[in-house]
Amino acid sequence: MPETLAMDARARSSTVTLPRPWLDDLVRYFYAKLGSYEDAQDAAIEAWHQGTAKAAKVMGSANPKAYFFGMARRVAADHLRKMARNKREPWATGSTAAAPTEDAAMVDEVLRGLSDDHREALVLAYVHGFNHVEIAQITRRSPAAVNSLLQRAREAFRTQGSHIVEDR
Amino acid sequence: MNDEQVKTALQERFRTLRFEGEVTPGRMKRKGWLLPTVAVGGLALPAIAGALLFFSPGCTYERAIRALEDAPEFTMEMTVDRFGSTPYKVTYEDSGTWHRRTFGRPIGGGVMVWNGDRCSAYTLDGSFCVVDDLERTQVGGDSMNPLPGEKTIDYVMRSVWLTTFPLTPGSEKPVSRYTATDEQGRSCEVLSFLDDEGYIRDFSGATYRNVRAAELWLEPGTGRPIRFDVHEPGQAAGLRSTRTARISYGHIAPFNLTSGLAAGARVVDLPALRSSVWKQWEAQNRREELDGSRVYDVYRSPKGWALILTDKVFNDELLIEDAQGRPWSAITVSNFTKMPEKVSVLLATPVEPGDLSATTLTLRADRNSTPHKLAIPAASATPPTWLALALHPFRLYKLTLQPPLSSANYYRSVRDWKNEIKWLERTLDIYDEYKERPRGVEMRLSMAKDLLSGKREPPPFKDETRPGAGLFAPQ
């Protein structure tokens, strides 16, 4: 890249910022991925830093939030690898955030029983409101694969979480 | 439970999760965490060399952060938890942004000293390691984060860790502890580690590949590491191995870190310390002239190698030979050219296994220079302070503690030679991390290959089983 272009890109990056609410979204996403509140905070900082450094590129993409979550997903993968090296399991008992209500605690229990893919798909769809195409972009799957993944995830959540409804 | 209920349950659960720190332009940090066990306090001193931190009980993370905010460009702090389950934490500032990294390994705690292009790590028990020339540092393991300084910090952390306890990234915690009696009849605590990543590293950074388990013996009373055993595949953990690396840890701490310091304070100005050491040597030891440069001191390792402390970085033209005219190779293993007191450590070894009992070496800066005779002292198992200060523990280990190879080993099986070739190639790989290859090792490798291929005949058999003979040895 010619030097002037590189300087332009740096200048743009320094002026463009990411929406602050995305940082909270990151914590939620990483919590779903890692199952540890503290790890989620750490990963969120890291992903936010990476996103901020490339803010112009993120905000200039066709779907900035999906693009940003695609970056965050790689950070999550790094953290999962580190956890594996340190013999730590995601969603290990005792690592989750203090649940404010009994319902929240039960949802944590259900999430703990789901696979990583299922948790991710559910949270991206229902917590962050991404559609199938966006989830496909983030997770690098085809929209059809995301659709069937979501179906299976919902089914798994229903099976595991049936007692939530029964207990109410 | 229908889709709407799934959605509601998830949204309700995740609604309360938020980022707990504060974000300001160019700076971001976590807040509100108390450090477990021994808490950390930070005191940043804008010294010439950089920042110093010290540890004291009763301080909070917040306080440490506040102290760090006033620090120069690069500072660190870490938690202290000996063999606990709490990982240590590292905070550093780089380009105005806070990063907080959590590493999975607890460490013995200590002091970090950063002075521009060198970083040193100290542990609280007084042992220390020096990490030199960070630009050339190669780090395995946690290298996925591209942030500047990350590798450096990880390496330093790893060095502190390795200095204190020999662990690998794959076996951070001892899997068992038991008590065993050492040769002196003392009852030592033994920590056993299992290897699940194919290798184990000891305190010096030396890597033991293809081992199954390792055991660390701790000295009763002090808890200092006194012995490190590795076990090859097939051997049950707990049995003594023929491949035992008995390591004396004494050379790691040639001086008491806290001596001369105010009680309770653990602040070390490494450059000042180093400077005082050099000045001491300058004042007390001979200063032989060698083509315009000075030779401050010469140390002979138990293996017969000569380590020369000089104020010059010699180039490849330096010629060394013993009294019989046999060539020695020389390599600069450490230099402090950026320090006010310019010193270098030169390693001299015979090019081929030969007589290591030479009492004098002839040095010439190049072919046209005047020969200079240098007296070589008797071998000593205790390296001088300057050597420990100048060398990374890995090199110190390589230079002083590796077992010798007798030249009688010319007469060995083909399999043994092949093993040695493998070992020599591995040694060169390790040295490649430092971007330098000892000429002696390269020549030894070449010789081994020539012997195997029949291009070269072995010399007449000669018993050279005395200690100190030879260069590198297969373990």
Side-chain angles (χ1 to χ4, degrees):
Chain A
M1 183 187 287
E3 193 179 349
T4 49
L5 286 181
M7 287 170 65
D8 287 348
R10 280 198 295 272
R12 277 201 303 278
S13 283
S14 62
T15 54
V16 179
T17 56
L18 303 178
R20 173 62 176 79
W22 286 7
L23 186 53
D24 294 335
D25 288 340
L26 280 178
V27 173
R28 294 175 191 125
Y29 174 69
F30 284 120
Y31 183 67
K33 291 288 286 183
L34 308 174
S36 159
Y37 190 55
E38 294 194 348
D39 285 339
Q41 298 277 334
D42 277 355
I45 290 178
E46 195 174 328
W48 182 260
H49 175 72
Q50 289 186 12
T52 304
K54 297 179 179 173
K57 195 173 179 184
V58 172
M59 299 311 286
S61 63
N63 189 333
K65 192 171 179 183
Y67 185 92
F68 184 47
F69 269 67
M71 292 172 65
R73 192 166 185 264
R74 287 192 286 278
V75 174
D78 284 350
H79 276 258
L80 285 170
R81 275 195 289 270
K82 283 187 182 178
M83 288 170 79
R85 275 208 301 277
N86 297 331
K87 294 187 172 59
R88 292 173 58 211
E89 291 284 330
W91 284 92
T93 308
S95 66
T96 51
T101 62
E102 277 187 29
D103 280 357
M106 281 192 281
V107 171
D108 274 358
E109 277 305 307
V110 175
L111 288 172
R112 183 172 288 123
L114 298 185
S115 72
D116 179 48
D117 286 348
H118 287 173
R119 270 195 305 268
E120 181 177 36
L122 285 174
V123 168
L124 288 175
Y126 291 145
V127 177
H128 299 292
F130 289 115
N131 61 35
H132 291 192
V133 176
E134 289 169 331
I135 296 174
Q137 182 189 342
I138 294 168
T139 60
R140 294 173 178 263
R141 286 182 166 88
S142 70
V146 169
N147 192 26
S148 53
L149 176 67
L150 264 175
Q151 285 186 28
R152 286 195 300 273
R154 274 194 296 264
E155 185 56 38
F157 192 94
R158 271 196 289 269
T159 309
Q160 299 260 350
S162 54
H163 63 279
I164 295 181
V165 179
E166 289 165 7
D167 291 348
R168 280 179 170 172
Chain B
M1 193 177 197
N2 58 32
D3 285 358
E4 201 54 40
Q5 285 174 312
V6 172
K7 185 176 180 179
T8 307
L10 284 170
Q11 286 180 340
E12 197 59 28
R13 173 64 188 105
F14 281 82
R15 186 173 52 81
T16 54
L17 301 179
R18 293 179 190 285
F19 181 71
E20 287 197 342
E22 58 183 78
V23 182
T24 55
R27 173 164 291 199
M28 182 166 31
K29 67 186 180 188
R30 295 285 304 280
K31 69 173 184 179
W33 285 8
L34 296 182
L35 293 177
T37 59
V38 183
V40 175
L43 171 66
L45 302 174
I48 295 172
L52 305 175
L53 290 178
F54 76 93
F55 296 80
S56 63
C59 298
T60 65
Y61 183 71
E62 282 280 9
R63 187 171 151 193
I65 287 289
R66 280 200 298 275
L68 287 166
E69 280 177 351
D70 298 321
E73 59 181 301
F74 201 102
T75 52
M76 307 176 199
E77 57 96 13
M78 50 193 178
T79 60
V80 185
D81 184 8
R82 207 176 168 88
F83 279 132
S85 58
T86 310
Y88 62 79
K89 299 178 177 69
V90 180
T91 301
Y92 66 98
E93 186 184 25
D94 183 54
S95 307
T97 304
W98 281 103
H99 308 289
R100 179 190 161 277
R101 307 287 305 150
T102 303
F103 295 83
R105 293 170 293 280
I107 58 170
V111 180
M112 308 294 300
V113 180
W114 175 261
N115 64 346
D117 63 340
R118 293 174 65 86
C119 192
S120 302
Y122 295 83
T123 54
L124 288 180
D125 62 0
S127 60
F128 78 101
C129 66
V130 177
V131 181
D132 65 344
D133 210 348
L134 296 167
E135 291 301 316
R136 300 193 304 173
T137 299
Q138 299 287 318
V139 183
D142 300 323
S143 59
M144 56 193 65
N145 194 317
L147 296 172
E150 178 77 6
K151 285 189 173 183
T152 298
I153 287 180
D154 190 38
Y155 187 76
V156 172
M157 289 293 126
R158 199 181 296 273
S159 296
V160 174
W161 169 251
L162 290 169
T163 304
T164 315
F165 308 109
L167 292 183
T168 71
S171 54
E172 282 86 14
K173 292 176 186 172
V175 293
S176 65
R177 298 180 185 208
Y178 55 93
T179 306
T181 307
D182 70 359
E183 295 89 334
Q184 299 172 34
R186 298 179 299 180
S187 180
C188 300
E189 187 182 16
V190 180
L191 308 175
S192 177
F193 307 92
L194 282 179
D195 170 47
D196 61 357
E197 287 197 352
Y199 65 92
I200 282 180
R201 288 182 185 213
D202 72 11
F203 78 102
S204 68
T207 303
Y208 299 83
R209 292 187 192 280
N210 200 26
V211 298
R212 183 179 179 276
E215 287 171 333
L216 175 69
W217 292 57
L218 301 179
E219 192 176 39
T222 65
R224 293 177 64 80
I226 52 173
R227 184 166 139 185
F228 182 60
D229 295 350
V230 293
H231 303 274
E232 292 178 332
Q235 288 184 306
L239 298 177
R240 294 277 74 76
S241 165
T242 52
R243 192 180 164 208
T244 293
R246 299 235 171 133
I247 296 166
S248 161
Y249 284 74
H251 67 278
I252 290 294
F255 58 88
N256 186 354
L257 179 68
T258 53
S259 65
L261 297 172
R266 295 178 185 276
V267 181
V268 172
D269 185 342
L270 182 67
L273 179 68
R274 202 177 273 136
S275 176
S276 70
V277 171
W278 299 147
K279 281 177 181 153
Q280 179 191 336
W281 276 99
E282 222 177 359
Q284 295 178 1
N285 292 276
R286 64 176 176 271
R287 295 167 53 174
E288 299 185 27
E289 295 291 329
L290 171 63
D291 212 38
S293 63
R294 299 188 187 99
V295 173
Y296 293 131
D297 194 33
V298 181
Y299 161 70
R300 164 169 285 182
S301 79
K303 301 175 65 179
W305 300 355
L307 287 143
I308 302 163
L309 180 68
T310 172
D311 69 347
K312 183 173 179 179
V313 180
F314 290 97
N315 58 25
D316 292 339
E317 292 182 336
L318 178 68
L319 299 172
I320 304 182
E321 57 187 29
D322 62 16
Q324 282 72 43
R326 286 176 292 206
W328 283 44
S329 68
I331 183 173
T332 300
V333 289
S334 181
N335 73 78
F336 293 86
T337 51
K338 291 180 183 175
M339 296 288 291
E341 309 78 17
K342 292 178 182 175
V343 289
S344 298
V345 177
L346 196 69
L347 165 67
T349 57
V351 169
E352 291 191 29
D355 190 358
L356 279 159
S357 61
T359 53
T360 56
L361 289 176
T362 305
L363 282 76
R364 277 187 293 170
D366 56 54
R367 293 193 183 281
N368 301 322
S369 301
T370 313
H372 175 84
K373 284 205 169 152
L374 194 64
I376 308 297
S380 164
T382 309
T385 306
W386 58 260
L387 188 59
L389 270 175
L391 292 184
H392 185 279
F394 167 72
R395 295 184 185 183
L396 200 58
Y397 166 77
K398 286 279 178 194
L399 297 178
T400 57
L401 293 169
Q402 268 197 329
L405 167 68
S406 164
S407 70
N409 287 341
Y410 275 111
Y411 295 87
R412 293 184 300 172
S413 68
V414 170
R415 199 186 71 171
D416 285 346
W417 272 114
K418 283 183 176 171
N419 282 340
E420 174 165 358
I421 287 173
K422 209 184 294 179
W423 190 88
L424 289 168
E425 285 173 342
R426 191 197 309 162
T427 303
L428 288 176
D429 284 346
I430 294 170
Y431 271 99
D432 279 346
E433 292 182 9
Y434 295 93
K435 294 195 174 83
E436 59 190 32
R437 286 185 156 212
R439 205 149 52 105
V441 182
E442 282 185 320
M443 296 189 73
R444 175 85 188 168
L445 179 61
S446 161
M447 181 192 72
K449 285 179 174 172
D450 287 351
L451 278 168
L452 269 188
S453 64
K455 287 183 190 169
R456 179 182 184 133
E457 289 293 319
F461 180 80
K462 181 183 169 189
D463 185 11
E464 291 185 5
T465 52
R466 69 184 184 285
L471 283 172
F472 295 85
Q475 295 183 22

